[in-house]
Amino acid sequence: MDGRVDASARNRQDWSDAALLAAIASRDGAAFTAFYRRHVPMVLAYVLRETRDREAAADLAAEVFAAILLSAGRYAEQHESAAPWVIAIARNKLQTSLHHGRVEAKARRRLGFEAVTLEDEDLDRLERIAAVGGGQLVELLESLPRNERAAVRSRVLDERPDDEIAGELRCSEMVVRKRVNRGLARMREQFREPGPA
């Protein structure tokens, strides 16, 4: 990708996550922009909550999306939303950074991305986006029907396997997957992207 932001990202905002990732793998910059806008509030909310450090959260989010650029072609759709996959990447990047005592920049280096120095206003905007993503996602999760909420929380946030969740919820693994898919679809439908700060 040449780094330019394609205004046609608006034309892709209704695409599924799987369609966006397939287009990203084909080097579609507008698809990446749409995917980034859809998922960055959630990623920032997660990494900021875990690190409590705005600069580290910004670096981690950049590394997460660089990794997504590199691995989009390997995405295997399991749910309507790619949120569990994105959070798994964020969790892996966070764990690697904690293990090494610094935020890893491996994916960004492979893409040739230069480090960016963030000003206080950039970090303030990051916090606003994270607040929208974190607060809204918690609110949306809580608005789900009880069975869907339990399935989404267990599968996406706690990364528990379907068989374990099925045992706890006293249903089949297929029912667990359906509840997760329905819950994520409801959340995605209601999720609003943050406006310009």
Side-chain angles (χ1 to χ4, degrees):
M1 293 186 211
D2 61 12
R4 288 178 287 164
V5 176
D6 188 340
S8 62
R10 276 183 240 112
N11 299 333
R12 290 161 174 75
Q13 66 188 8
D14 294 328
W15 289 13
S16 71
D17 282 347
L20 288 172
L21 287 162
I24 291 166
S26 298
R27 305 180 68 77
D28 182 332
F32 178 77
T33 300
F35 189 85
Y36 175 86
R37 288 178 179 163
R38 181 178 295 168
H39 292 286
V40 74
M42 173 188 65
V43 170
L44 285 172
Y46 172 72
V47 295
L48 189 56
R49 184 184 71 228
E50 295 297 319
T51 63
R52 306 259 187 244
D53 180 321
R54 299 185 314 171
E55 291 176 348
D59 278 351
L60 278 165
E63 185 66 9
V64 167
F65 284 98
I68 288 168
L69 273 171
L70 292 170
S71 61
R74 295 191 305 269
Y75 175 69
E77 185 176 8
Q78 294 180 347
H79 305 288
E80 185 172 322
S81 171
W85 181 72
V86 172
I87 288 297
I89 291 171
R91 183 175 287 124
N92 288 340
K93 294 298 179 184
L94 176 65
Q95 289 172 346
T96 300
S97 71
L98 292 173
H99 177 74
H100 293 292
R102 68 186 187 310
V103 175
E104 184 63 51
K106 186 177 179 181
R108 287 174 286 170
R109 278 195 305 271
R110 280 187 59 195
L111 291 168
F113 290 170
E114 297 291 324
V116 175
T117 303
L118 298 175
E119 304 296 330
D120 285 341
E121 64 226 25
D122 299 318
L123 297 171
D124 291 343
R125 183 169 188 276
L126 176 147
E127 280 188 328
R128 288 193 301 273
I129 293 170
V132 168
Q136 190 174 16
L137 287 172
V138 168
E139 184 180 306
L140 291 175
L141 181 62
E142 293 304 316
S143 74
L144 292 177
R146 183 178 52 84
N147 287 336
E148 288 177 17
R149 182 174 60 240
V152 169
R153 181 176 282 129
S154 295
R155 185 68 187 95
V156 176
L157 299 180
D158 300 335
E159 285 194 321
R160 294 170 57 201
D162 290 341
D163 61 338
E164 185 179 304
I165 300 167
E168 181 180 298
L169 298 180
R170 297 185 178 150
C171 62
S172 70
E173 291 180 42
M174 183 174 15
V175 169
V176 168
R177 287 190 289 274
K178 284 183 179 180
R179 288 177 182 174
V180 169
N181 283 334
R182 276 197 305 263
L184 290 173
R186 283 184 216 269
M187 290 174 70
R188 181 172 169 219
E189 186 176 304
Q190 296 176 47
F191 188 77
R192 297 181 311 276
E193 295 175 5

